Amino acid sequence: MHLSIRLYPTPKQEEKMNRTLDLCRMLYNTAKQQRELAYKQFGTSIFYSMQQKELPVLKREFPEYKEVHSQVLQDCLQRLDDAYQRFFRKEAGYPRYKSKDRYASFTYPQPGAVKKGYVYLPKIGFVRMKIHREFDGCHVTQLNVKRYADQWVVNITVKGEEIEMTSSIERMVGIDVGLNTFAALSDETTIENPRYLRKAEKRLKRYQRRLSRKQKGSRNRERAKRKVAKAYRKVTRQRKDFLHKQSFRMVRDYDLIAVEQLKIRNMIQSRRLAKSIADAGWRKFITYLSYKAGRQGKRLVEVPANGTSQTCLCGTEVIKTLAIRIHTCSVCGLMQNRDIVSAKIILQRALGMIA
């Protein structure tokens, strides 16, 4: 279970937290530079274990790193290693150097004490937090502290009890995500797409134009940058709230949920649809469904996406372009919204997979 909780650090604690971010960012960039130089000059690769062993030497030569907890520094190097591993697996682009705005969090893999109303961050102290949901502090496995514009949030990972998957399936649903509507369900209902980013675009553009006019390094530019960050933060939180509510409703109402195996990374290569796909948040929606279903003992099945929009329930292939929104089968005579038919096909395939 993951919880995001607002932190209220004192001015002195906030100074230490900002200092931790700056030191971690410098370590990240230096470690990246070390890897690149070693490969260019000697043709050798440097790995996490090699850099992690050099941390004691780093602390002796640069005493300021003693201000940061050792596990936070180790996690910083692990992040860099994970970025390279994702690049080698072709799951992400080449790792970039981090600017002040791009390195905004640090992690304690083995957290300190979590008391009522406070969380202990080693080297920083007990920081006040506003708990909106009760949890067992003894089962906390990780703390991630993140800066959002002018706010601080702690993301707490709590080890939950394993629940056995339900054997009886009484209620089931297939979900076809889209852009015209956020999702079409096999029970012939739809969920409207809120399009939070599209609705906020005019305001965001206005804030970004104001930012571009400010002199670099000035206080006015920092204020304008903070305003842009707050506007994006609002869009992000609106989207997350919507996805959490919809995924909760699905898991509450159904024992079996069927979705498509979508390759989002390939889909957003389309310049015409990339922004709309990212705004919809399909991948995050499926992620939320996955962990919430596991927590409640429900079943989530991902089926191959090939042909779900070009097949009829009777098995006949019905070729359609994106402009054709009504599915019409010349064999069985079915005429229905194409997205709802796709949702029924997805459920049909899921039942075939678990049979």
Side-chain angles (χ1 to χ4, degrees):
M1 180 170 65
H2 301 275
L3 300 172
S4 292
I5 300 175
R6 174 90 181 268
L7 291 178
Y8 295 89
T10 64
K12 190 173 181 179
Q13 288 173 335
E14 187 169 18
E15 184 181 340
K16 288 181 180 179
M17 291 158 77
N18 281 318
R19 177 70 170 158
T20 299
L21 285 178
D22 287 339
L23 290 171
C24 287
R25 177 176 57 84
M26 288 189 286
L27 175 63
Y28 184 98
N29 290 338
T30 303
K32 181 180 181 319
Q33 186 181 42
Q34 183 188 33
R35 288 186 177 223
E36 290 178 340
L37 289 175
Y39 187 78
K40 288 178 182 177
Q41 294 180 0
F42 308 106
T44 58
S45 297
I46 294 180
F47 302 102
Y48 164 75
S49 58
M50 301 163 67
Q51 292 185 316
Q52 187 263 338
K53 289 177 183 177
E54 294 177 357
L55 285 177
V57 179
L58 176 76
K59 288 185 176 182
R60 286 197 296 270
E61 294 184 1
F62 301 95
E64 60 267 27
Y65 279 96
K66 293 179 181 179
E67 301 171 21
V68 183
H69 195 266
S70 59
Q71 291 184 354
V72 173
L73 297 176
Q74 291 168 12
D75 179 77
C76 174
L77 296 177
Q78 187 65 62
R79 270 190 214 187
L80 177 63
D81 190 68
D82 290 343
Y84 272 99
Q85 295 306 319
R86 287 195 300 272
F87 169 69
F88 293 139
R89 293 195 299 266
K90 298 183 180 180
E91 295 175 358
Y94 186 73
R96 297 191 292 183
Y97 287 100
K98 300 292 185 180
S99 65
K100 186 176 180 180
D101 297 327
R102 287 186 176 273
Y103 200 101
S105 69
F106 55 92
T107 303
Y108 294 96
Q110 295 179 357
V114 179
K115 296 183 178 180
K116 189 173 182 180
Y118 288 88
V119 58
Y120 179 68
L121 304 179
K123 299 283 187 175
I124 294 171
F126 281 95
V127 182
R128 189 167 66 90
M129 62 180 178
K130 187 176 182 180
I131 299 178
H132 60 274
R133 181 176 176 182
E134 294 299 325
F135 62 94
D136 188 351
C138 298
H139 291 162
V140 174
T141 59
Q142 181 176 284
L143 296 177
N144 172 261
V145 181
K146 189 164 186 177
R147 180 178 61 198
Y148 286 96
D150 59 343
Q151 295 180 2
W152 291 89
V153 171
V154 60
N155 299 302
I156 301 178
T157 304
V158 183
K159 185 179 180 181
E161 297 180 4
E162 292 187 6
I163 299 177
E164 290 186 11
M165 189 174 293
T166 180
S167 56
S168 62
I169 299 175
E170 298 177 1
R171 298 163 299 173
M172 58 195 77
V173 69
I175 304 174
D176 179 57
V177 293
L179 295 178
N180 289 335
T181 56
F182 173 74
L185 310 185
S186 56
D187 60 7
E188 301 187 4
T189 61
T190 59
I191 302 171
E192 290 303 312
N193 188 353
R195 296 183 174 88
Y196 293 116
L197 180 60
R198 291 291 185 184
K199 290 176 181 177
E201 267 187 326
K202 190 176 290 186
R203 184 174 71 254
L204 289 168
K205 286 178 181 178
R206 185 168 65 249
Y207 289 162
Q208 287 169 331
R209 279 198 301 269
R210 290 174 183 173
L211 172 62
S212 67
R213 298 189 189 111
K214 306 300 181 186
Q215 185 178 351
K216 288 188 177 180
S218 67
R219 290 186 179 180
N220 284 339
R221 185 176 178 86
E222 285 301 314
R223 279 194 286 267
K225 188 187 292 185
R226 201 174 298 123
K227 206 163 189 177
V228 172
K230 285 182 179 180
Y232 274 108
R233 182 180 68 194
K234 181 177 180 179
V235 172
T236 301
R237 288 180 174 177
Q238 285 177 316
R239 186 186 298 119
K240 285 180 70 175
D241 179 69
F242 169 77
L243 296 176
H244 273 300
K245 287 176 178 176
Q246 295 302 327
S247 56
F248 171 78
R249 185 172 69 86
M250 294 295 163
V251 172
R252 180 195 64 194
D253 294 346
Y254 300 100
D255 301 316
L256 171 68
I257 303 166
V259 296
E260 290 177 299
Q261 292 175 340
L262 297 175
K263 296 181 179 179
I264 308 294
R265 183 172 176 78
N266 294 341
M267 296 172 74
I268 60 175
Q269 298 301 316
S270 167
R271 294 180 64 183
R272 190 168 62 89
L273 298 175
K275 185 182 289 188
S276 296
I277 292 173
D279 189 22
W282 296 338
R283 173 47 56 193
K284 191 163 285 188
F285 176 62
I286 294 172
T287 301
Y288 290 171
L289 282 174
S290 177
Y291 82 77
K292 286 176 183 175
R295 190 189 297 168
Q296 298 297 324
K298 304 297 181 71
R299 184 173 296 187
L300 176 72
V301 181
E302 293 189 50
V303 306
N306 297 339
T308 54
S309 61
Q310 308 294 329
T311 309
C312 183
L313 293 173
C314 66
T316 306
E317 186 179 34
V318 182
I319 303 298
K320 301 182 288 291
T321 64
L322 283 174
I324 301 174
R325 305 311 304 170
I326 300 298
H327 170 93
T328 305
C329 179
S330 58
V331 177
C332 67
L334 177 65
M335 183 179 292
Q336 201 169 31
N337 181 293
R338 64 177 288 164
D339 296 332
I340 290 176
V341 174
S342 294
K344 291 180 178 180
I345 294 291
I346 292 167
L347 178 59
Q348 196 178 72
R349 289 185 181 183
L351 292 173
M353 290 172 65
I354 65 173

